[in-house]
């Protein structure tokens, strides 16, 4: 099979097209004929820098995949040859990823893809949907009438989180930069906040009567995390997907602070079936018209992964950058 391979860390030029042996199916696994993948910040980080997972970094990157089941291993009951599936199942921890014609994956990490989506659209969903689900459902336990703030409404995780929080019945306010206001208004949030026009004090007063939000999901972090702490009510909840240094406000406001790392099942082999379950739930919500992926209009093939990474680094993308399999 053809594959885009890295043998060293560096800029987007480290990808090389090579011939590799097609993986053989093994028990509890399925072999996928890859049709599409997407770019996540994690993929660019693994390519470029030393990370906690660099010691066991595979040569074929990218975790998100959508494709067709080409072979089924022993003990796999939930999939058959020809099924259209999607998931986040490799590109890290010694497991080769989706930048190849075929990908061998643990079947428990996968789900049948949404019937209403193309492969390109489905490939945009796995990592970001699992992250949003774990943050909102598992950590923040968002429910009906909870007043929640989501930072980064049009980002990869953010745009799914806005829609998912509405599914859970919350009142959703979401922040966005001015250039993405029009796109943000398509996501069904109750309130869209232009971060260049409204301060934290402004929108806390406007949307919570000055009390603060019950929960805040910060997909931006960095300096922005202090705004999240400021926006949360006393004894409220804050979750983020990125490292945080200064947590003084957590103590002063008695906040419950949550870190979300969806990689744990994939990297450590813990409860992998839960990711497959989440993706089945997401597929049902997509086919019911309640969640829609925001896909950047760019059109890259998997063999143009360097260009896709450069597009990500340019900051011009709106929504998930996807790549499809082209001969």
């Amino acid at each position: 099979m053809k594959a885009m391979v890295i043998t060293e860390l560096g800029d987007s030029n480290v990808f090389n097209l090579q011939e590799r042996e097609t993986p053989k199916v093994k028990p509890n696994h399925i072999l996928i004929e890859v049709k599409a993948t997407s770019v996540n910040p994690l993929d660019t980080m693994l390519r470029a820098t030393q990370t906690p997972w660099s010691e066991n970094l595979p040569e074929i990157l990218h975790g998100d995949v959508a494709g067709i089941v080409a072979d089924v291993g022993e003990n796999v009951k939930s999939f058959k040859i020809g099924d259209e599936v999607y998931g986040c199942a490799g590109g890290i921890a010694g497991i080769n990823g989706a930048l190849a014609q075929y990908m061998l994956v643990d079947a428990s990490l996968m789900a049948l893809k949404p019937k209403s989506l193309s492969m390109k659209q489905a490939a945009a969903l796995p990592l970001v949907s699992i992250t949003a689900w774990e943050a909102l459902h598992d950590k923040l336990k968002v429910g009906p009438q909870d007043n929640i703030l989501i930072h980064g409404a049009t980002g990869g995780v953010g745009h799914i989180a806005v829609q998912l929080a509405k599914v859970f019945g919350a009142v959703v306010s979401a922040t966005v930069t001015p250039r993405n206001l029009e796109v943000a208004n398509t996501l069904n949030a109750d309130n869209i906040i232009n971060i260049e026009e409204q301060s934290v004090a402004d929108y806390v007063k406007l949307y919570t009567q000055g009390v603060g939000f019950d929960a805040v999901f910060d997909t931006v972090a960095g300096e922005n995390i202090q705004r999240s702490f400021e926006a949360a009510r006393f004894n409220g909840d804050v979750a983020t997907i990125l490292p945080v240094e200064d947590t003084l406000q957590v103590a002063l406001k008695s906040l419950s602070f949550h870190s979300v790392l969806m990689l744990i099942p994939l990297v450590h082999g813990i409860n992998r079936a839960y990711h497959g379950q989440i993706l089945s739930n997401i597929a049902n919500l997509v086919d019911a018209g309640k969640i829609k992926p925001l896909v950047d209009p760019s059109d890259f093939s998997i063999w143009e992964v360097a260009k896709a990474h450069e597009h990500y680094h340019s900051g011009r993308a709106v929504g998930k950058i996807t790549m499809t399999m082209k001969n």
Side-chain angles (χ1 to χ4, degrees):
M1 68 175 184
K2 292 194 295 185
M4 296 301 294
V5 173
I6 68 165
T7 55
E8 60 181 336
L9 301 182
D11 62 23
S12 59
N13 293 320
V14 297
F15 290 106
N16 290 292
L17 180 62
Q18 296 185 10
E19 286 287 333
R20 288 297 170 97
E21 186 176 351
T22 302
K24 306 295 184 187
V25 76
K26 60 183 182 180
N28 305 310
H29 286 64
I30 56 177
L31 182 66
I32 297 172
E33 182 184 352
V34 175
K35 294 298 182 183
T37 186
S38 70
V39 180
N40 290 299
L42 173 67
D43 302 314
T44 65
M45 180 178 70
L46 291 171
R47 183 211 78 223
T49 62
Q50 289 290 330
T51 73
W53 307 285
S54 291
E55 251 182 58
N56 196 19
L57 191 66
E59 291 183 324
I60 303 174
L61 297 182
H62 278 244
D64 281 345
V65 63
I68 299 171
V69 177
D71 203 355
V72 176
E74 189 179 345
N75 303 325
V76 175
K77 307 298 182 186
S78 49
F79 303 108
K80 64 183 185 301
I81 293 174
D83 281 345
E84 297 186 340
V85 296
Y86 78 136
C88 184
I92 196 170
I95 307 167
N96 278 326
L99 297 179
Q101 290 176 305
Y102 292 90
M103 181 179 176
L104 181 66
V105 303
D106 184 334
S108 62
L109 291 163
M110 305 297 294
L112 295 173
K113 85 166 184 65
K115 294 181 177 65
S116 58
L117 296 186
S118 67
M119 290 289 185
K120 179 182 176 75
Q121 292 170 312
L125 283 171
L127 183 147
V128 296
S129 296
I130 293 167
T131 301
W133 185 282
E134 290 185 348
L136 299 177
H137 182 273
D138 300 344
K139 297 297 182 78
L140 297 175
K141 303 186 187 306
V142 171
Q145 300 308 308
D146 281 344
N147 201 351
I148 181 169
L149 172 67
I150 296 171
H151 284 297
T154 58
V157 176
H159 85 279
I160 297 297
V162 169
Q163 297 173 82
L164 192 57
K166 289 300 296 179
V167 169
F168 294 153
V171 177
V172 180
S173 300
T175 65
V176 68
T177 56
R179 77 182 186 97
N180 291 332
L181 274 171
E182 185 176 345
V183 174
N185 283 322
T186 69
L187 299 176
N188 198 33
D190 296 281
N191 310 299
I192 294 295
I193 298 164
N194 182 335
I195 59 171
E196 291 191 6
E197 292 184 357
Q198 292 176 279
S199 68
V200 176
D202 290 336
Y203 57 76
V204 165
K205 181 179 180 180
L206 185 59
Y207 300 127
T208 75
Q209 292 73 53
V211 173
F213 292 90
D214 299 317
V216 182
F217 182 27
D218 191 334
T219 69
V220 179
E223 293 180 1
N224 195 70
I225 196 67
Q226 299 305 322
R227 300 183 185 95
S228 293
F229 296 151
E230 182 183 350
R233 64 170 172 81
F234 288 104
N235 299 307
D237 289 83
V238 177
T240 187
I241 57 176
L242 294 164
V244 172
E245 294 182 2
D246 182 0
T247 57
L248 177 61
Q249 288 194 78
V250 173
L252 296 180
K253 297 183 76 171
S254 189
L255 301 174
S256 294
F257 183 46
H258 309 271
S259 176
V260 181
L261 182 64
M262 64 76 64
L263 294 173
I264 289 172
L266 178 56
V267 172
H268 299 288
I270 299 169
N271 199 17
R272 286 182 170 182
Y274 185 49
H275 278 191
Q277 293 167 16
I278 291 172
L279 291 174
S280 291
N281 293 337
I282 293 295
N284 290 334
L285 291 171
V286 169
D287 287 338
K290 295 181 178 179
I291 289 179
K292 182 178 180 180
L294 179 59
V295 179
D296 185 75
S298 56
D299 183 25
F300 299 108
S301 79
I302 284 174
W303 316 125
E304 296 174 308
V305 59
K307 292 181 180 179
H309 278 219
E310 288 166 8
H311 185 49
Y312 168 80
H313 290 304
S314 76
R316 295 192 301 268
V318 179
K320 290 297 298 294
I321 301 168
T322 55
M323 296 172 285
T324 54
M325 182 60 69
K326 299 175 183 176
N327 295 329

